């Protein structure tokens, strides 16, 4: 090590992420490690496509976890010698981006309609230029080693070409069509929205029971509804064909109160006999289930609520123009006055709201563009069933199949200005509809020469996202990147977009390339707030990953997120992030100790002593375990194995054991300890690098005889010939006894530095004598103060039996008191039911610890 580097290492007594991360990342970037040559085949190479974050986004904890997972995978494969392509880019995020810019305009006192479509879209592009790269820069702070040099955007020119090609192709196959169909209508954004943009909330409404007179009879059919305003659009009343109460009424008619319309009484298996009276009012224009029943029975579809959220002309002159709340109030009053309202009761149920505008969703029949999915779904079902695409955890594959087997048409049009405008033109003169990849020549109708009008709608954002893994590589061009990196290998994503994104990528890839887009789908954990609620800025439960990077470093956050990702729903634990920070510091301090005392030694394994054979065996088992865990997407246990080896095996034990040899060996001509430590350190840094890239790369830069940066150093393969079960067993027994002796010292209040006189009932391992500071003495005549394993501790100055016994009894009583307190607290049902779950869990952990310590004292 040159003097300048050595001086820097000597001066840096504590790892400082803020000083390391930026220059280390710049070094990787300048060396071009993130941008591979488009050579070789997909089988030789390795590729992942990032779930493109919204251009409006800023880094949140879900991004933090998912991109740490992806970066761990790509770094590991890069070290394995594969050419790695991590496709990076952002999504135009139609409704989200339009909402952000509209809000900005409103703050200026401007409405988008004043700008017009062209002016508004231009304003959005300006906004994107100013703010669109924010999340990309934040990903770099996390250590993401993606191909930023070839960043894609789902509205760039080449991507638009891909989207148009897919739309036109599906239209020509008859899979895309225009129809009046039920959609999720958001009155706030004045657009149909996707299921992902709908959130269900528990709402207390009033359940009204309304009597519908049966034609030609004095009987009535009583129906229950929380939305009496929609009864103006009723076109039938349905009963279950198995319901004996109403069997004689099927085929007859009842009269719609207030309106007087004759409604057929129909039989349908969908009706729940147990709900309400068992009679269901059918409103095809304002309920998804009723819409399906109406289509099956050929019922009229009436819409009494308009796209502006007000009652329409079809509602009648007494209601037209009213808000929904006003209409409900008037209708309830009129029903009450007419004697048709037979009951009112509170009713709690789940109601859909727009995630974007916050307004209640109106199920409306709207003229929209749809994609028929059944033909596309069949091959996408087959590739999961036959194992060509696998899900981890496995249960999500079953969820995928259940949805795909019951797939419905997809509404692909949105009433927005920002996004992929439909490649559809209308001729108002001859009423021809033209669907084409490019606008017809001179914007005129090829049939009659009339002026064409382009459809104003844009495509659902998920339509363009469905093409991401291949469109981002240049498709429909036969690009070098497509040949080298498609299909990709792994998709890591969240469970809430399995249907909206994962399934659609599989369907489009099979349809247009006859290839699966990836072979593995990893569904990562959902990181909740510490109290179990969802993380949300609006709820005040969000935690900013960038603040944690500022305070603890990127490696700490990465390690913490991986360590806590052991199940599908995990509560955020800052303690895990602090554990990652402690591990980075431990690695730094241990490395510093080794490097500053290694002299001229070069890395080489040494098997000359028991402890050397032991650490090499433990190292190779850890190399094997970490590799296996990463291959199985078990990131939490990979992190745990790494932590256990570094903290316990390497730092707590091996370094302590070999310090005398490390300090004194070179002077005696023995650098075996230093050589072995350098060997162990190098391999440890290599397996830790995918999880904690910054600290490992910085330490690696100080190692002797390194050829490349760690980011491209060879990934270690476990050397099973170094496995030594006998050495592991022997050293493990010595460590266990040493731990017990140290624990006894702590409990008895004996100074860690004081030597203990003792006698042994048998042979004691030399490691125990040194590490536990035991001096064997006595012929068996003295009364022992205590027995720990085969070792009897003898009296010495400050260690009189009576005093030790008194201290231990005092501690015993204190622990008994803590056990009683904790047991009492946990027996309190109110505490267990009302306290935050993490508080209750912490109390249980305390109780277990107190009981274990009490048992240790005997």
């Amino acid at each position: 090590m040159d003097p300048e580097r050595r001086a820097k290492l000597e001066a840096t007594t504590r790892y400082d992420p803020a000083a390391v991360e930026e220059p280390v990342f710049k070094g990787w970037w300048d060396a071009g490690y993130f941008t591979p040559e488009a050579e070789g085949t997909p089988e030789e190479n390795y590729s992942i496509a990032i779930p493109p974050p919204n251009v409006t986004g800023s880094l949140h904890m879900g991004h933090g976890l998912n991109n740490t997972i992806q970066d761990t995978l790509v770094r590991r494969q890069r070290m394995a010698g594969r050419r790695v392509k991590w496709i990076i880019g952002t999504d135009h995020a139609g409704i989200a981006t339009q909402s952000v810019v509209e809000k900005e305009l409103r703050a200026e006192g401007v409405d988008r309609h004043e700008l017009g479509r062209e002016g508004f879209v231009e304003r959005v592009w300006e906004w994107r230029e100013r703010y669109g790269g924010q999340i990309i820069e934040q990903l770099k702070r996390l250590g993401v080693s993606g191909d930023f040099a070839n960043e894609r955007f789902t509205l760039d020119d080449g991507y638009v070409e891909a989207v148009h090609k897919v739309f036109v192709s599906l239209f020509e196959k008859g899979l895309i069509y225009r129809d009046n169909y039920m959609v999720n209508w958001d009155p706030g954004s004045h657009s149909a929205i996707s299921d992902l943009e709908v959130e269900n909330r528990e709402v207390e409404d009033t359940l009204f029971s309304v009597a519908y007179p049966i034609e030609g009879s004095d009987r009535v059919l009583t129906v229950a509804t929380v939305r009496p305003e929609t009864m103006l659009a009723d076109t039938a009343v349905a009963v279950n064909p198995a319901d004996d109460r109403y069997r004689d009424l099927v085929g007859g008619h009842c009269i719609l109160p207030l309106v007087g319309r004759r409604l057929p009484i129909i039989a349908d298996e969908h009706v729940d006999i147990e709900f309400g009276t068992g009679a269901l009012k059918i409103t095809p224009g304002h309920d998804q289930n009723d819409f399906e029943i109406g289509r099956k029975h050929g019922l009229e579809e009436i819409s009494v609520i308009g796209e502006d959220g007000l009652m329409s002309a079809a509602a009648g002159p007494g209601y037209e123009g009213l808000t929904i709340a006003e209409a409900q109030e008037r209708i309830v009053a009129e029903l009450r006055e007419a004697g048709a309202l037979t009951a009112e009761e509170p009713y709690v149920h789940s109601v859909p709201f727009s995630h974007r505008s916050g307004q209640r969703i109106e199920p409306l029949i709207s003229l929209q563009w749809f994609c028929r999915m059944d033909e596309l779904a069949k091959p996408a079902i087959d590739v999961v069933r036959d194992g060509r695409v696998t899900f981890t955890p496995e249960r999500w594959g079953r969820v995928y199949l259940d949805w795909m087997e019951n797939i419905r048409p997809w509404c692909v049009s949105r009433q927005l200005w920002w996004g992929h405008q439909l490649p559809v033109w209308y001729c108002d003169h001859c009423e021809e509809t033209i669907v084409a990849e490019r606008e017809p020549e001179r914007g005129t109708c090829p049939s009659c020469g009339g002026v064409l009008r382009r459809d104003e709608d844009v495509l659902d954002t998920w339509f363009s996202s469905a093409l991401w893994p291949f469109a981002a590589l240049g498709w429909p061009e036969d690009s070098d990147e497509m040949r080298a990196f498609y299909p990709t290998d792994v998709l890591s994503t969240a469970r809430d977009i399995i249907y909206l994104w994962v399934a659609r990528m599989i369907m489009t890839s099979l349809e247009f390339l006859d290839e699966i887009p990836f072979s593995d789908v990893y569904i990562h954990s959902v990181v909740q707030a510490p109290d179990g609620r969802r993380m949300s800025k609006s709820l005040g439960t969000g935690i900013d990953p960038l603040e944690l990077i500022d305070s603890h470093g990127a490696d700490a956050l990465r390690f913490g997120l991986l360590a806590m990702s052991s199940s599908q729903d995990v509560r955020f634990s800052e303690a895990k992030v602090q554990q990652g920070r402690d591990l980075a510091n431990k690695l730094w301090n241990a490395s510093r100790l080794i490097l500053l005392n290694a002299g001229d030694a070069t890395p080489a394994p040494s098997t000359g002593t028991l402890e050397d054979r032991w650490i090499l065996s433990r190292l190779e088992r850890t190399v094997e375990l970490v590799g296996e865990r990463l291959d199985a997407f078990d990131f939490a246990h990979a992190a745990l194995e790494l932590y256990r080896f570094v903290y316990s095996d390497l730092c707590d034990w091996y370094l302590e054991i070999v310090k005398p040899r490390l300090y004194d060996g070179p002077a005696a001509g023995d650098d075996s300890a230093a050589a072995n430590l350098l060997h162990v350190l190098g391999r440890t840094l290599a397996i830790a690098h995918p999880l904690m890239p910054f600290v490992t790369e910085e330490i690696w830069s100080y190692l002797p005889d390194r050829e490349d940066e760690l980011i491209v150093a060879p990934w270690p393969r476990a050397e099973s010939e170094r496995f030594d079960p006998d050495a592991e067993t022997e050293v493990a027994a010595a460590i266990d006894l040493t731990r017990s002796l140290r624990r006894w010292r702590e409990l008895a209040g004996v100074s860690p530095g004081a030597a203990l006189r003792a006698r042994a009932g048998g042979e004691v391992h030399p490691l125990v004598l040194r590490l536990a500071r035991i001096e064997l003495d006595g012929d068996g005549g003295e009364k022992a103060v205590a027995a720990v394993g085969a070792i009897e501790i003898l009296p010495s100055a400050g260690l009189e039996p009576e005093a030790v016994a008194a201290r231990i009894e005092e501690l015993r009583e204190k622990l008994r008191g803590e056990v009683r307190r904790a047991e009492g607290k946990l027996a309190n049902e109110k505490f267990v039911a009302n306290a935050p779950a993490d508080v209750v869990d912490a109390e249980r952990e305390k109780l277990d610890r107190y009981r274990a310590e009490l048992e240790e004292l005997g």
Side-chain angles (χ1 to χ4, degrees), residues 628-707:
E628 288 174 352
R629 300 299 194 193
L630 293 179
D631 288 342
F633 305 110
D634 186 358
F635 302 98
H637 285 98
L640 181 64
E641 294 293 347
L642 176 66
Y643 184 90
R644 185 183 294 129
F645 175 77
V646 172
Y647 240 88
S648 180
D649 294 343
L650 177 57
C651 296
D652 287 352
W653 298 107
Y654 184 65
L655 264 176
E656 186 174 354
I657 292 168
V658 300
K659 271 180 186 175
R661 288 171 53 206
L662 177 65
Y663 293 156
D664 304 333
D670 177 15
D671 64 1
S672 61
N676 202 44
L677 278 165
L678 289 170
H679 168 79
V680 171
L681 177 60
R683 288 175 72 77
T684 301
L685 293 174
I687 60 171
H689 179 75
L691 290 74
M692 306 178 75
F694 289 108
V695 66
T696 52
E697 187 73 81
E698 179 68 3
I699 295 169
W700 182 266
S701 70
Y702 289 94
L703 260 58
D705 293 348
R706 63 180 185 86
E707 295 181 3

Side-chain angles (χ1 to χ4, degrees), residues 2-317:
D2 67 71
E4 186 177 339
R5 294 284 286 166
R6 184 179 183 88
K8 181 183 175 184
L9 189 59
E10 286 175 340
T12 312
T13 57
R14 186 173 180 81
Y15 176 62
D16 181 4
V20 167
E21 289 171 1
E22 187 176 344
V24 165
F25 192 91
K26 185 178 185 301
W28 294 329
W29 175 263
D30 290 346
Y33 294 134
F34 303 166
T35 304
E37 294 295 327
E39 299 171 351
T41 66
E43 292 74 26
E44 298 166 345
N45 300 333
Y46 186 86
S47 59
I48 285 182
I50 190 175
N54 287 357
V55 69
T56 58
S58 59
L59 194 70
H60 59 58
M61 211 57 78
H63 293 135
L65 173 61
N66 193 17
N67 284 285
T68 296
I69 286 168
Q70 292 170 83
D71 196 52
T72 299
L73 294 172
V74 301
R75 284 180 182 275
R76 195 272 177 95
Q77 293 298 328
R78 192 182 286 118
M79 293 175 74
R82 299 179 75 178
R83 193 176 289 106
V84 171
K85 169 83 170 180
W86 186 0
I87 302 164
I88 294 291
T90 53
D91 193 288
H92 68 277
I95 194 167
T97 307
Q98 178 157 326
S99 297
V100 167
V101 177
E102 283 194 72
K103 184 177 179 182
E104 190 178 83
L105 288 172
R106 283 195 298 272
E108 299 170 9
V110 179
D111 183 271
R112 68 178 167 102
H113 293 93
E114 296 174 38
L115 295 177
R117 182 177 193 134
E118 188 175 330
F120 177 76
V121 169
E122 186 178 326
R123 178 67 180 260
V124 181
W125 277 107
E126 290 172 2
W127 183 94
R128 189 247 174 183
E129 289 304 311
R130 287 200 310 268
Y131 303 113
Q134 174 179 285
I135 194 163
I136 294 297
E137 293 308 308
Q138 291 170 341
L139 288 173
K140 292 176 182 177
R141 288 205 61 196
L142 188 66
V144 162
S145 59
D147 187 3
F148 297 105
N150 292 299
E151 179 187 336
R152 296 300 305 268
F153 181 51
T154 58
L155 263 180
D156 62 31
D157 291 343
Y159 211 102
V160 170
E161 181 183 345
V163 169
H164 286 183
K165 182 177 181 65
V166 168
F167 186 93
V168 172
S169 175
L170 294 176
F171 175 80
E172 290 173 348
K173 287 190 71 171
L175 297 180
I176 281 183
Y177 59 96
R178 201 178 190 210
D179 192 12
N180 285 293
Y181 205 81
M182 181 66 67
V183 298
N184 298 316
W185 186 263
D186 176 9
S189 65
H190 302 289
S191 175
I193 63 173
S194 70
D195 291 340
L196 183 69
E197 291 153 337
V198 174
E199 58 185 23
N200 290 304
R201 303 179 195 166
E202 289 294 304
V203 171
E204 182 174 313
D205 279 325
T206 300
L207 186 66
F208 299 95
S209 295
V210 185
Y212 286 43
I214 296 170
E215 187 179 61
S217 167
D218 57 359
R219 294 171 63 188
V220 297
L221 266 178
T222 301
V223 302
T225 180
V226 294
R227 303 201 68 194
E229 66 277 9
T230 65
M231 66 182 287
L232 303 175
D234 287 358
T235 54
V237 173
V239 297
N240 193 295
D243 194 335
D244 293 335
R245 295 172 295 174
Y246 306 122
R247 187 169 289 158
D248 63 317
L249 299 179
V250 175
H253 290 79
C254 60
I255 307 301
L256 178 61
L258 305 184
V259 179
R261 187 161 57 241
R262 293 175 76 237
L263 305 179
I265 301 171
I266 62 175
D268 195 282
E269 295 83 359
H270 174 79
V271 179
D272 182 357
I273 294 174
E274 303 299 324
F275 178 75
T277 63
L280 180 69
K281 76 185 203 65
I282 303 300
T283 318
H286 297 290
D287 182 272
Q288 179 65 53
N289 292 324
D290 291 3
F291 176 79
E292 301 289 349
I293 292 172
R295 288 270 163 120
K296 185 165 69 171
H297 292 272
L299 299 177
E300 183 182 4
E301 296 167 352
I302 301 172
S303 293
V304 296
I305 300 173
E307 293 180 351
D308 57 2
L310 301 178
M311 303 303 288
S312 68

